[in-house]
Amino acid sequence: MTESISVFVNGTVLNLPQGTDVVGAVRTLDPALERQIAEGSAYVTDGRGIEISSDARLAGGAILRVVVRSRRDANVDADA
């Protein structure tokens, strides 16, 4: 039997297999967020707000937050 760990992703508690990485936890919560991380339009922070690698293995009680980057049009400053 595989042991499970509880982690928090964007305030939601998830029970995951031990050894799950950051991206696996995000995928369980919301596959669309996982795609945004893969595209670079989002990133993950720990409970202190420090960005962490998407392949980092999680320990029980981990707190993760997915931050979606705001996008600016590449031509915003073109007229300045």
Side-chain angles (χ1 to χ4, degrees):
M1 178 187 223
T2 303
E3 284 194 43
S4 65
I5 58 173
S6 294
V7 301
F8 299 86
V9 181
N10 289 356
T12 300
V13 66
L14 302 173
N15 292 308
L16 304 168
Q18 192 170 31
T20 299
D21 61 7
V22 169
V23 77
V26 172
R27 179 185 315 117
T28 300
L29 178 70
D30 185 346
L33 286 176
E34 177 196 12
R35 287 190 294 278
Q36 288 181 291
I37 292 167
E39 295 168 353
S41 62
Y43 61 95
V44 181
T45 67
D46 63 13
R48 300 167 294 165
I50 298 171
E51 187 172 351
I52 58 174
S53 173
S54 61
D55 62 355
R57 298 281 176 214
L58 296 172
I63 299 171
L64 306 175
R65 291 185 179 87
V66 180
V67 180
V68 178
R69 301 178 197 271
S70 61
R71 293 188 175 193
R72 289 183 65 184
D73 184 358
N75 296 321
V76 166
D77 296 325
D79 295 329

